[in-house]
Amino acid sequence: MNKLIFSLLLTGVSFTLHAQKIYSTKTGQIRFNASTALENVAATNNQVDSKMVDKTGQIVFSALIKSFRFDNQLMEDHFNENYLESSKIPKAEFKGFITNAATINFSKDGKYPINIDGSLSLHGVSQKVTASGLMTISGGKPTITGSFKIKIKEYGITGLYIGEKIASEVEITINCAYD
Amino acid sequence: MKNITHNNIRVRNVVGAILLACFYFLPIVTSAQNVDLFKQQDEQDKKDAKETTDIVTSTFKTTRIVNSQSIENTGAGILDVKISHRFGLVNTGSYNFYGLDQATMRLGLDYGISNRLEVGIGRSTYNKEFDAFYKFRILRQSTGRAAMPISLSLSSDAVWRTIKDQPTVYAINSSDHFNFTNQLIIARKFGDYFSIQFVPTMVHYNIVPTKATPNDLYSVGTGFRIRLSKRVNFTGEYYYQVTKFQGTYDAMSLGFDIETGGHVFQFFFTNSTGINESSFITQTNSQWSNGGIHLGFNISRVFTVVKHNQ
């Protein structure tokens, strides 16, 4: 009898501490646009890996460079071979925090503006990045949309056409629906 | 006896209680630990590096080395318009401005049906020939979980000669104007700086000049690419003929691939006048040793016909 009470007590304790939740997706979308008046340079990656923790707001994104799809196959080859050197550095990663995670109620449907702070590792170079976006919670499942801009040169990416046919500042758009 | 049993039960109860407590504490211990996604991500990266298969791309910069097919295919939904141009022979001297007064060419259209299958048609000045080919990628070189050391493609080319026939003592059938080339392309990329390929080749002629000449001619082609800079590559090819027509030489070409944005410009020296497979492999009738070479260039412009963006 004593044992039973003891067990029930412990069960209760373990449930109350089991509060952190990890949301994840393997089919997130990242688009980038480096188009200029001369050339349409844009690509989409629909296989982005992302995870986040509700309590701490910790968030990570990971994208294979080779999974970015261009309209033009030759442009995709050049992107991988000459610009991003994806055989040497296959992934781009973001590690950061949703700075206002405390203001989000993950169990209540709604739209919450978010700010993300962290570091983006691209082409082997890490740089601080801040982005603002929107978290939509619907049926207990969050979706994050947002965008930010990076300067190509800051990531050690060089090439003849950057600043001419390819914009030197690239807009990156994120759309991830988590489970 | 009774006492001992009783004691045993007691001991079991205590052990059971401890075990039970452990099981209940276990989730507390794990959940109380802070989840660190950054650490998880780093571990995932290490795992991925072992588990994913990475297909090697850009073994060669374009679908031809100089005259020869390379292992590369035109991407799915991409139309590639190719203009291949050869000036005259350099050893024809200053009267012909070292060959620059003359020209032969081939106009071609290549199309990628899928990322593995390419088809193409062309028309050459030399012998007024039409040609049609396919190239199918069987194996793709890759690293990681499913590692494949080489790339392998199969290519066949049919040529229809339309130049007016020389007068003959025998009747010429329309089928005599056709010849066919079958090639197996074996290639490997060694890092970013060096690629090589071997091309066992069989050329079949429906008609040959003499009874002693076989209808099937065998040869082995080699090709290489050396990267000089991000945009400039040194390339070359050589076809060793095992069986050949009388008075012909092995085809050899050396040149440069220069990448200019959306396309690749190639310029080179070659001893072949013909540009389609059978004419450059088996009908090259000038030689490097006495300056019997052509300056030539290939330009290609790609157009996106079907977008492969998901």
Side-chain angles (χ1 to χ4, degrees):
Chain A
M1 192 59 190
N2 272 346
K3 207 164 74 185
L4 191 70
I5 293 166
F6 187 54
S7 317
L8 285 174
L9 203 82
L10 282 173
T11 317
V13 173
S14 70
F15 270 122
T16 45
L17 279 177
H18 221 331
Q20 255 184 3
K21 195 169 176 208
I22 302 173
Y23 294 95
S24 70
T25 178
K26 286 189 182 296
T27 54
Q29 187 190 67
I30 291 181
R31 288 179 61 82
F32 78 79
N33 193 345
S35 297
T36 57
L38 291 171
E39 196 91 59
N40 180 26
V41 186
T44 309
N45 186 334
N46 286 321
Q47 293 159 297
V48 177
D49 223 324
S50 178
K51 287 195 184 85
M52 73 175 157
V53 180
D54 56 356
K55 272 277 154 64
T56 56
Q58 196 178 32
I59 187 162
V60 292
F61 293 94
S62 163
L64 272 179
I65 299 299
K66 278 194 181 168
S67 301
F68 278 96
R69 292 283 167 267
F70 289 71
D71 286 347
N72 181 335
Q73 176 74 45
L74 203 65
M75 208 182 267
E76 194 174 305
D77 288 349
H78 288 170
F79 168 77
N80 279 293
E81 181 93 354
N82 296 337
Y83 292 92
L84 273 291
E85 300 178 275
S86 63
S87 57
K88 269 184 267 170
I89 312 132
K91 276 182 179 180
E93 280 183 351
F94 176 86
K95 290 174 178 171
F97 288 93
I98 300 170
T99 51
N100 59 335
T103 62
I104 303 163
N105 183 354
F106 282 84
S107 53
K108 195 183 162 202
D109 285 7
K111 287 182 194 297
Y112 303 89
I114 52 168
N115 295 310
I116 300 178
D117 242 349
S119 76
L120 173 68
S121 162
L122 181 67
H123 192 241
V125 180
S126 289
Q127 296 285 358
K128 286 249 168 288
V129 165
T130 39
S132 56
L134 191 72
M135 186 182 294
T136 310
I137 292 171
S138 157
K141 288 178 180 174
T143 299
I144 286 180
T145 52
S147 69
F148 59 97
K149 283 187 174 179
I150 60 161
K151 290 194 173 74
I152 298 177
K153 288 223 166 100
E154 288 181 356
Y155 293 87
I157 301 164
T158 55
L160 227 55
Y161 297 100
I162 296 169
E164 270 178 63
K165 285 180 177 173
I166 304 165
S168 51
E169 205 173 38
V170 178
E171 187 177 27
I172 297 174
T173 318
I174 298 162
N175 189 345
C176 288
Y178 296 85
D179 277 325
Chain B
M1 200 62 180
K2 228 181 185 181
N3 268 345
I4 294 164
T5 334
H6 196 70
N7 275 348
N8 267 355
I9 292 167
R10 235 189 214 159
V11 168
R12 269 190 214 144
N13 270 348
V14 172
V15 171
I18 291 168
L19 275 177
L20 210 70
C22 282
F23 278 120
Y24 276 103
F25 270 115
L26 209 65
I28 304 173
V29 174
T30 47
S31 68
Q33 236 174 14
N34 264 335
V35 178
D36 189 357
L37 290 180
F38 299 168
K39 217 183 244 173
Q40 280 185 15
Q41 189 63 48
D42 290 341
E43 277 158 18
Q44 188 66 38
D45 286 350
K46 275 183 205 154
K47 235 167 89 186
D48 286 356
K50 277 186 208 150
E51 283 188 1
T52 51
T53 302
D54 191 25
I55 293 166
V56 171
T57 55
S58 305
T59 306
F60 286 90
K61 291 296 163 182
T62 180
T63 57
R64 309 299 155 95
I65 296 177
V66 171
N67 292 308
S68 167
Q69 295 281 1
S70 79
I71 193 76
E72 294 300 327
N73 280 25
T74 304
I78 303 283
L79 179 72
D80 186 356
V81 179
K82 286 191 181 288
I83 299 164
S84 310
H85 186 109
R86 312 288 180 264
F87 289 105
L89 290 169
V90 170
N91 66 0
T92 52
S94 58
Y95 179 70
N96 274 331
F97 201 51
Y98 301 96
L100 299 187
D101 283 351
Q102 300 155 335
T104 61
M105 61 186 294
R106 177 181 178 271
L107 285 169
L109 290 177
D110 294 358
Y111 181 70
I113 292 175
S114 76
N115 279 331
R116 284 178 187 268
L117 180 63
E118 173 186 348
V119 294
I121 49 169
R123 156 82 186 195
S124 304
T125 318
Y126 186 73
N127 283 339
K128 299 191 181 295
E129 287 175 336
F130 288 96
D131 64 274
F133 74 90
Y134 76 84
K135 181 160 58 170
F136 182 73
R137 179 72 79 93
I138 301 164
L139 299 176
R140 292 185 285 197
Q141 189 186 337
S142 59
T143 55
R145 201 169 69 167
M148 175 61 63
I150 55 155
S151 290
L152 183 70
S153 285
L154 181 68
S155 176
S156 298
D157 182 46
V159 171
W160 177 31
R161 199 178 66 241
T162 65
I163 198 163
K164 279 175 186 155
D165 296 311
Q166 302 285 326
T168 51
V169 290
Y170 48 89
I172 289 203
N173 301 317
S174 55
S175 64
D176 293 340
H177 298 131
F178 287 90
N179 62 65
F180 305 91
T181 307
N182 295 302
Q183 297 182 298
L184 203 59
I185 308 169
I186 306 154
R188 181 171 164 86
K189 183 181 186 182
F190 296 88
D192 281 346
Y193 288 87
F194 182 64
S195 299
I196 194 164
Q197 71 172 32
F198 293 96
V199 192
T201 302
M202 190 268 267
V203 184
H204 174 84
Y205 282 88
N206 280 349
I207 193 169
V208 284
T210 63
K211 267 192 174 169
T213 318
N215 284 72
D216 294 339
L217 300 175
Y218 294 91
S219 55
V220 181
T222 58
F224 71 86
R225 171 184 72 85
I226 295 168
R227 175 162 140 174
L228 301 178
S229 78
K230 267 192 176 180
R231 286 166 200 289
V232 182
N233 285 273
F234 179 57
T235 59
E237 66 189 22
Y238 176 75
Y239 271 76
Y240 172 74
Q241 296 186 83
V242 183
T243 45
K244 56 182 171 185
F245 292 139
Q246 245 187 343
T248 64
Y249 299 94
D250 293 345
M252 183 167 105
S253 313
L254 290 172
F256 296 93
D257 281 9
I258 299 161
E259 288 178 60
T260 56
H263 27 252
V264 178
F265 175 74
Q266 302 176 294
F267 82 93
F268 43 80
F269 284 100
T270 176
N271 61 338
S272 311
T273 311
I275 301 168
N276 61 44
E277 312 306 316
S278 62
S279 60
F280 91 82
I281 298 169
T282 62
Q283 297 169 41
T284 295
N285 51 18
S286 56
Q287 50 184 324
W288 276 76
S289 58
N290 61 11
I293 54 172
H294 307 266
L295 173 66
F297 61 84
N298 296 339
I299 47 178
S300 92
R301 172 75 189 150
V302 295
F303 299 93
T304 306
V305 178
V306 179
K307 288 184 179 183
H308 85 304
N309 208 334
Q310 300 158 334

